[in-house]
Amino acid sequence: MPFRYEELVTPMGRPYVRVHVSGDIDLRDAEEYVARFEGAYQRRRVLSVVASGTEYSAKARKHLLAMRESSPHATVTTSALVRAAIHLMTRSAAGGTYRVFTDEPEALAWLDDQEA
Amino acid sequence: MSVTIEGERVDQLLRIIVAAATGDYELRVPLLEEDDDEFLEVELGVNYLLEELALGKAKSDSQRQQLEVRAEELAHQQSELVQALSTPVIAVWPGVLALPLVGRVDDERAATITAVLLERVAAERATHVILDLTGVGAIAGNTMPALLRMVRAIGLLGASCLLTGISAPVAQQIVALGAAEGGAPVRALAQLSDALALVLAQKGALGR
């Protein structure tokens, strides 16, 4: 599974979902992801940790872009390619507070500061 | 924003864009983790665009193939329908077939009519065939001999052929071909109903 979900709490006690992302993401994976964040995880802060080499198929990208995200979302990656992919996708994303980090504690601190 | 890019990366990107402009969407810009700069997004963006173009092309190719198959099916159905409508052989009485022809008769149609009619004459052991030309506007130059050969072929199968509804130009064509002077056993009547009455009288059917 390219997405692994964990329900956690920030140091300030705010609930968030940590998503570990890796591998090749196709449309079905994207649909499952969107269903979760439009369902059970709606309005939840998100911290996604994206592994190097993660690839999004064209259909998956389109589906993820169609999602209206309103909660703060921090992405952690050390890969320049993944960062470029996420920047491209979020350029046209509708709404939401989004930032990319290379360091997870820094990302979590930022997430904790955001108003959900 | 100012970014310094190696000439090789720009050249590579341009080569791929030029290939895409000629319809080749299969190439991709090689991406390297160490090229960690703003231009990497441009390169990746071009790859995304190429993926979209390749997907669009595949979809369009598939739709075109489906349309071609459908067009072929429709053409086949149309051809069958036209053939059926162009040779409406009607059994108007046991052993009597009528074929009202409408429209222009060319060589291809004359060949179809001949094949269908001879098959029906043989299959139904017809004694008479009424070929009604009332709706025939014109007969192509070389086609009249083909129709007259059909009349002779019907005779060889033991049936008589009656022509009805012959227009003045068609009558002139028949005379010019000498068919009315003995070659083919052509009997002409003004209307289909006249021919039918004659045939039924010959068969003694009217007296029943």
Side-chain angles (χ1 to χ4, degrees):
Chain A
M1 289 290 286
F3 294 110
R4 284 202 322 268
Y5 305 88
E6 288 174 277
E7 292 183 49
L8 301 170
V9 178
T10 66
M12 286 169 70
R14 290 169 162 157
Y16 74 100
V17 180
R18 184 182 189 276
V19 190
H20 185 266
V21 188
S22 63
D24 293 332
I25 295 156
D26 62 19
L27 178 61
R28 245 171 64 181
D29 302 318
E31 283 171 344
E32 194 245 341
Y33 177 91
V34 170
R36 279 180 187 256
F37 283 95
E38 287 182 348
Y41 296 156
Q42 206 170 23
R43 297 180 192 281
R44 199 79 67 89
R45 286 173 175 75
V46 188
L47 179 83
S48 55
V49 180
V50 187
S52 187
T54 301
E55 300 261 7
Y56 299 85
S57 77
K59 286 179 181 172
R61 284 198 303 269
K62 267 191 251 180
H63 195 73
L64 290 170
L65 280 174
M67 186 172 86
R68 294 195 66 85
E69 198 168 38
S70 55
S71 320
H73 188 148
T75 291
V76 180
T77 186
T78 53
S79 161
L81 285 171
V82 169
R83 192 165 48 248
I86 287 167
H87 279 154
L88 278 175
M89 285 195 274
T90 51
R91 268 176 197 276
S92 55
T97 316
Y98 204 97
R99 258 186 81 174
V100 181
F101 298 87
T102 51
D103 179 68
E104 188 166 347
E106 195 188 342
L108 192 56
W110 174 83
L111 200 62
D112 224 354
D113 280 346
Q114 302 304 306
E115 288 300 322
Chain B
M1 175 177 65
S2 171
V3 184
T4 306
I5 307 299
E6 281 175 35
E8 174 59 22
R9 283 174 74 190
V10 176
D11 283 347
Q12 208 149 34
L13 184 69
L14 287 174
R15 274 199 300 275
I16 286 163
I17 289 172
V18 168
T22 62
D24 180 359
Y25 307 141
E26 299 308 313
L27 298 175
R28 295 290 179 271
V29 184
L31 305 171
L32 299 171
E33 284 284 356
E34 50 268 34
D35 293 334
D36 189 1
D37 53 32
E38 301 267 352
F39 196 65
L40 186 62
E41 269 186 60
V42 175
E43 292 170 317
L44 186 60
V46 168
N47 281 356
Y48 283 0
L49 188 63
L50 287 166
E51 275 178 43
E52 274 305 310
L53 289 169
L55 280 175
K57 185 172 182 289
K59 193 174 168 185
S60 139
D61 286 350
S62 157
Q63 284 172 340
R64 199 188 61 237
Q65 277 176 358
Q66 284 173 7
L67 283 174
E68 281 172 358
V69 168
R70 184 72 189 125
E72 230 170 81
E73 283 172 5
L74 285 173
H76 182 67
Q77 285 170 5
Q78 190 186 32
S79 164
E80 281 182 344
L81 183 64
V82 167
Q83 193 168 328
L85 291 174
S86 67
T87 52
V89 182
I90 307 156
V92 290
W93 197 266
V96 183
L97 298 176
L99 173 60
L101 289 177
V102 176
R104 187 180 171 80
V105 179
D106 58 13
D107 282 355
E108 193 184 339
R109 192 173 170 206
T112 306
I113 292 167
T114 303
V116 171
L117 199 51
L118 290 179
E119 195 179 311
R120 289 286 299 271
V121 168
E124 299 187 21
R125 297 178 181 277
T127 55
H128 295 83
V129 174
I130 304 167
L131 199 58
D132 182 51
L133 304 179
T134 307
V136 175
I139 294 179
N142 299 328
T143 306
M144 185 51 88
L147 283 179
L148 293 174
R149 279 197 299 277
M150 179 184 74
V151 170
R152 282 197 287 275
I154 289 168
L156 289 173
L157 292 179
S160 305
C161 189
L162 294 97
L163 296 183
T164 61
I166 295 174
S167 66
V170 172
Q172 284 175 336
Q173 277 182 291
I174 293 172
V175 170
L177 286 164
E181 291 157 14
V186 177
R187 174 128 193 218
L189 290 107
Q191 294 180 8
L192 179 65
S193 56
D194 298 336
L196 190 57
L198 176 71
V199 171
L200 294 183
Q202 282 179 359
K203 286 178 163 283
L206 290 178
R208 281 184 216 168

